[in-house]
Amino acid sequence: MNLTGLHSWRRVSWNALPVGQWVRLSRDGVPLGCGVVDGTTPDGSIIWVVMDGWAERRMFHREDFVKVEIAG
């Protein structure tokens, strides 16, 4: 599902991401893509996202300075 241009997006805390949430990811203004949250650590320091068009999930650390946004 490609949600890039269909919605307005707002930045959210990594602690507020439920499994199943669609997100848009970017780093330093460069889009990484959209996907669905597949897992998180209890402290919100790591998220796993199944990126749109990818078969496997990717892990992102908060220290990677990845901006996470949700539609809304």
Side-chain angles (χ1 to χ4, degrees):
M1 174 185 275
N2 184 351
L3 297 175
T4 303
L6 300 178
H7 301 280
S8 61
W9 294 86
R10 63 183 171 94
R11 191 170 186 174
V12 295
S13 167
W14 285 40
N15 294 343
L17 293 169
V19 171
Q21 173 70 55
W22 275 94
V23 294
R24 179 170 74 172
L25 305 172
S26 62
R27 183 180 4 216
D28 298 326
V30 177
L32 299 175
C34 293
V36 64
V37 175
D38 189 52
T40 63
T41 56
D43 66 356
S45 63
I46 299 172
I47 60 172
W48 288 269
V49 178
V50 178
M51 303 296 286
D52 193 22
W54 291 54
E56 66 278 342
R57 68 186 189 167
R58 292 191 57 194
M59 181 174 60
F60 297 92
H61 295 260
R62 190 183 328 218
E63 292 81 24
D64 293 336
F65 301 106
V66 171
K67 180 175 157 183
V68 179
E69 299 172 295
I70 61 170

